[in-house]
Every structure is written in C-alpha cells, then in structure tokens.
Amino acid sequence: MKDVLDELAAAHRAMGKGSVPAGDAYTIEVRRRYDARIDDVWDALTSPERLHRWLRPVTGDLRLGGKFELDGGEHGEILRCEPPRLLKVSWLYGPDADAWPGTSEVEVRLAPGPTGDTEFELIHAAVVEEPLFPVYGPGAGGVGWDLALLALARTLAGGETADHDVVQKSPEGREFIRRSAAAWGQAHLAAGGEPEHVAAAVEATTKFYAPDPT
C-alpha cells in the first residue's frame, strides 16, 4: 500500500486554462519524475506492446498524422511527434465524439533528468462545454490518468501488465482513487473552484471510479 500511495504523492497536479480547436478549454496537468531514461519512457509511450501493458491495447497508424483507437473506445489523431520529447494527440471518447471533433487533446512532454531519470509532464485539455466537468470537475480525467500513470511506473520498473478493473476493485486501488479524487479537488480549489462544487465533484468522482461494493 505504501508504494501505491508514494506513487500518488510523486505527482504534482494542477488545473489551468487552454484552448482546443473547438474553443476555450480547461486543462488538467500532471508533473512527476520517473526513475528511467528518457528513451525508455518514450518507448513505453509509443510502442503498442508496451502501451498495452499500462494503458490499453491500441490499434491504428501510429505515425504523425495517423489515427489510433484504444479498446476502451478512446480514439484520435497524432498531431505532433518529436522523439523522444513531445507527443500530442487528439483524444475523443463517447458515442458523440465524432460530433465534437477536437474537443480534447493530450500532450506529453519529457525531459532528461540530472541522474539518468526523466521529467514527465502530461497536459489534457478539454473543451469547457465538455459535459462531464460540471459533475466531476478535473477528477473526471485526472483520476483516470493517475491510475494509468501508476501502471506506467510499474511498467517502467519491469512489472506485469496492468489490469485496471482488478486494481480499481482492490482495497489499495479504492484508497488510491479516494486520495486521487481528493488531490484533484485540491487542484480545483487552487484554480478558483467553489468549495461546494468541488466537494460535490470529489464525491461524484470517487463514486464513479470506486462505486460502493454490492
């Protein structure tokens, strides 16, 4: 359990403002360090075999301008690819995704650290009108990325392929989700969120990712 919570504490989270082709956006931003060389982290982000281990199985044309799809339904286009430092994709999901092109983008930036490690930054920008935000706040995407980046840390350390369903149902996974949702609530407050809205969003996010056992 301590290792899991240490991974949660390793990340700095922030909520900000940005833009996507559809208009004004809010951003969720995660920064952390991985104890792995930059080429290894880049490979884990771009190799289909390794993406499967920490994110989801991916298919498509994984080149600049190509389109991809994850088996969870997320899909998009590779907008920028500058190995081994920058990857930017459009990130669409849900049954109405094609009706709202460009409403979400994910950018990952890598930089070599001073001891052979890697500084990692992920920015996910979603259009302000995106319907999940009023209910869930930044935790809508933030908790999902925290879970994925926990799995990435384990992949980089030589761990087994992540089973996200198993993790989310385990006691340590549920505690990770609870604390992740609270951390995104703090980022929301720091960005000027109303306390009542933030509290409701944290509760809704926690219940979405870790519903009460039946």
Side-chain angles (χ1 to χ4, degrees), residues 53-119:
R53 294 182 60 193
W54 67 272
L55 191 58
R56 290 186 180 275
V58 60
T59 56
D61 183 8
L62 303 185
R63 297 179 294 177
L64 183 62
K67 295 184 177 181
F68 68 90
E69 182 172 358
L70 303 180
D71 78 344
E74 301 90 344
H75 62 280
E77 181 179 344
I78 299 172
L79 304 176
R80 293 181 65 185
C81 183
E82 301 172 14
R85 292 178 178 265
L86 189 146
L87 179 66
K88 183 176 182 178
V89 301
S90 56
W91 188 268
L92 310 176
Y93 42 82
D96 298 324
D98 290 332
W100 292 84
T103 59
S104 178
E105 294 180 349
V106 176
E107 181 172 324
V108 177
R109 303 170 184 170
L110 304 179
T115 60
D117 53 356
T118 300
E119 300 294 335

Side-chain angles (χ1 to χ4, degrees), residues 56 147 150 154 160-177 209-210:
R56 290 186 180 275
L147 287 163
L150 170 64
R154 290 174 167 173
E160 297 180 356
T161 299
D163 188 325
H164 294 287
D165 291 336
V166 170
V167 170
Q168 287 179 233
K169 293 176 181 177
S170 70
E172 69 174 13
R174 293 174 64 84
E175 181 65 11
F176 182 93
I177 287 166
Y209 280 98

